């Protein structure tokens, strides 16, 4: 247990509200998705429709493995992502999907964070 985190998180969520937090995350994820969808060498894995919104955006790259992209984003731009087969290695194998890169948008992310991520992705995918 982490009492500091638990004591700080609950009042934040109660004050801001789950619906408001979710709306914020989905709005930023949509901005990220739409920006990434215009980039060459980026293959978005899931559609981003109004009814299927999530705060997670997953993709593969034509020009480098996802692990290398995650390392570059971290090292060069201080952007934390996850790479790999995540929770579904058998599904990835069945669908012949290589490891993917995953962005997770959270309640403390801002439009500036998304714009920075898009700038960084443009730099590493060109």
């Amino acid at each position: 247990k982490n009492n500091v985190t638990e004591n700080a998180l609950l009042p934040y969520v109660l004050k801001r509200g789950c619906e408001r937090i979710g709306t914020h995350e989905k709005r930023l994820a949509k901005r990220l998705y739409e920006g990434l969808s215009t980039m060459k060498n980026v293959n978005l894995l899931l559609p981003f429709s109004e009814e299927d919104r999530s705060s997670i955006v997953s993709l593969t790259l034509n020009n480098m493995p996802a692990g290398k992209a995650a390392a570059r984003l971290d090292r060069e731009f201080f952007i934390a992502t996850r790479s790999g087969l995540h929770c579904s290695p058998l599904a990835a194998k069945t669908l012949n999907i290589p490891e993917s890169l995953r962005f997770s948008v959270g309640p403390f992310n801002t439009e500036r964070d998304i714009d920075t991520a898009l700038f960084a992705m443009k730099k590493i995918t060109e």
Side-chain angles (χ1 to χ4, degrees), residues 19-102:
E19 187 173 332
R20 188 170 164 206
I21 291 169
T23 299
H24 170 79
E25 291 176 354
K26 290 174 184 179
R27 181 179 56 80
L28 292 180
K30 182 178 182 183
R31 181 182 182 104
L32 178 63
Y33 184 93
E34 288 173 350
L36 290 168
S37 71
T38 66
M39 293 182 193
K40 64 180 183 177
N41 293 316
V42 173
N43 308 299
L44 293 161
L45 294 181
L46 300 172
F48 197 87
S49 63
E50 291 294 320
E51 60 274 356
D52 296 330
R53 280 190 182 174
S54 169
S55 60
I56 295 174
V57 177
S58 297
L59 58 98
T60 60
L61 299 167
N62 295 336
N63 63 335
M64 77 180 73
K68 183 176 180 181
R72 286 192 63 192
L73 288 168
D74 182 43
R75 183 178 63 248
E76 297 172 28
F77 301 97
F78 307 103
I79 297 172
T81 58
R82 296 281 187 251
S83 65
L85 299 176
H86 309 293
C87 299
S88 56
L90 293 178
K93 182 178 179 181
T94 300
L95 297 170
N96 198 27
I97 297 173
E99 68 174 23
S100 64
L101 181 67
R102 183 179 73 199

